[in-house]
Amino acid sequence: MPSLTPAYLKINLLAGLTVALALVPEAIAFALVAHLSPLTGLYAAVIVAFITSCFGGRPGMISAAAGSLAVVMVALVVQHGAQYLLAAVVLMGVLQLLFAAARLGKFIRMVPHPVMLGFVNGLALVIFLAQFNHFKEPGPDGAPQWMAGPELAVMAGIIVVTMAVIYLTPRLTKAVPSTLVGILVASSGCALLGIETKTVGDLGSIAGGLPGFALPDVPWNLETLRIVFPYSLVLAGVGLIESLLTLTLIDEITDTRGQPNRESLALGAANVAAGLFGGMGGCALIGQSMINVNSGATGRLSGIAAALFLLAFILFGSSWIEAIPLAALVGVMFVVCEKTFEWGTFRLVGKVPRADLCVIVLVAGITLVYDLALAVIAGVIVSALVFAWQHAKQVRAAVSHDGQGWKVYALEGTLFFASVTPFQALFTPKDDPQDVIIDFLHARVVDHSAIQAIDALAERYRVLGKRLHLRHLSPDCRELLDKARGMVEVNLVEDPRYRVADDKLG
């Protein structure tokens, strides 16, 4: 627990205030995307941010209502209504609690680095492109149309001023978060100069009371479960993936280590609470988390403060917050995108394998076009296939003859399903002498396909009436082999001991 020094309190409270201001338009926009009232998004932001900040496994990370979840929710809301969504959010939280209870959060560490880069770059692009929705306004027929003329010029000017203040402030002082200074300068300038522009209030009113407890007004039967379970499952998966990948990113930035299972547990509890108190649920937000961490706030206090400030806006300060120029917050998010995007990715061209670059582009592209969960799953699958292909090509054998004239194949590499074909191609049974040795001292047999390949090779030599001698196999291999079992030469001192993935040993 960090000591509550004046410097620590100042950094975290100001960072929390900045994050809260940035959360307002995002929460409202995500709620509108899901065809919900603005307060549904704001209540979710308050509840999820507060609970995950208090009890989560990654201090400094900000969780709230998320756009990646909103796009999944919209179909359920349109077809069945908001109450079914609240039920789905509660079930989403329960599924996340079960995920945490099974201690599955550790598997996020298996996500390859190219997938992480694609995730970060993809989300940065998603956040960047999402800001352009604020450049639209209802036309005469009610359909959104792009701003033009003086209105567009004013909004662009405010964005430029806000971004300039954010970039220049650290050169003058680091006592106050530069993003907060940018928002205050833009808001004060518009108020003093009487500049008319789109404000937060144009998205929707944020005034309201405390969220009230209520069970979702749905029939509690199997039919309701059948309707909400598919949505809950997808929401739980997307929320966990985005939260745990953001956790990993902040681990790298802060050179600390978060607790994935604890974060999953807190996120599940937060979503159960959000569904019961009229919120749309949520997960980690990379944009707001980057604002927080870049402000120097890596403890729990900043997230707790952000939730409380946001609640205060709803209860007491709605008129002030609604007067903030939307362009100022767009400028903040543009800076966040620039700082979040891994520009070093371009320097990797020609320095890393092309397969890794393809994975980065693939994950970023799918995140941009479809959704995060599909992008990460596709990236992991492609990375695994590339890994298998590369290891399959590394199976080789050094060929020699011993003093008795026996041919010796000294095998190197990993023998598994993908390397079976190159393994078989190493041997020439018809041309080999009467006695042949295969030495596995520098090789490893991994799975059932490898065992089958050894048995098949033994059969090829047996049919030709030649003797095959298998050396330095693990006890698991000896037990699993069938036709080649009698060809294994046991050396208890030198033989390696490792496990083989095969159901027969179960």
Side-chain angles (χ1 to χ4, degrees), residues 23-292:
L23 279 173
V24 172
E26 298 284 298
I28 294 174
F30 297 152
L32 295 178
V33 165
H35 292 219
L36 299 166
S37 70
L39 282 176
T40 307
L42 292 168
Y43 286 152
V46 171
I47 294 167
V48 175
F50 183 80
I51 293 177
T52 55
S53 296
C54 286
F55 306 108
R58 178 60 269 178
M61 188 166 77
I62 303 298
S63 298
S68 56
L69 300 180
V71 295
V72 178
M73 296 172 176
V74 61
L76 178 61
V77 175
V78 170
Q79 293 178 26
H80 300 282
Q83 291 300 314
Y84 277 84
L85 172 65
L86 298 180
V89 170
V90 172
L91 182 55
M92 169 180 72
V94 172
L95 293 174
Q96 290 171 335
L97 290 172
L98 293 175
F99 178 92
R103 305 188 66 80
L104 298 177
K106 58 189 175 184
F107 290 109
I108 200 65
R109 306 290 179 188
M110 296 177 64
V111 175
H113 189 62
V115 176
M116 275 295 302
L117 287 176
F119 156 76
V120 171
N121 292 343
L123 276 189
L125 291 172
V126 169
I127 295 170
F128 177 76
L129 294 176
Q131 304 312 309
F132 288 96
N133 290 327
H134 299 309
F135 287 83
K136 296 178 181 179
E137 55 185 1
D141 58 352
Q145 63 181 23
W146 291 99
M147 291 180 178
E151 191 176 10
L152 177 61
V154 168
M155 191 162 181
I158 297 171
I159 291 172
V160 171
V161 170
T162 304
M163 294 177 68
V165 171
I166 293 173
Y167 283 119
L168 293 175
T169 297
R171 298 185 180 183
L172 303 175
T173 179
K174 294 185 179 180
V176 183
S178 58
T179 47
L180 179 59
V181 175
I183 294 171
L184 292 176
V185 168
S187 302
S188 302
C190 290
L192 293 174
L193 298 175
I195 297 174
E196 293 289 334
T197 185
K198 200 173 180 181
T199 65
V200 171
D202 293 328
L203 294 179
S205 174
I206 70 167
L210 290 170
F213 175 85
L215 291 174
D217 186 15
V218 297
W220 293 85
N221 53 33
L222 289 177
E223 177 61 19
T224 299
L225 181 63
R226 184 192 64 79
I227 293 171
V228 303
F229 182 77
Y231 292 96
S232 297
L233 189 61
V234 174
L235 290 170
V238 172
L240 286 167
I241 289 172
E242 185 161 359
S243 292
L244 296 182
L245 287 179
T246 304
L247 178 148
T248 304
L249 175 65
I250 295 177
D251 281 359
E252 293 179 2
I253 294 172
T254 61
D255 195 22
T256 56
R257 189 176 180 87
Q259 299 171 276
N261 288 318
R262 181 172 177 177
E263 183 63 35
S264 302
L265 187 68
L267 182 64
N271 281 316
V272 170
L276 295 176
F277 282 87
M280 61 185 287
C283 64
L285 299 177
I286 191 171
Q288 279 69 16
S289 297
M290 291 298 293
I291 291 174
N292 195 46

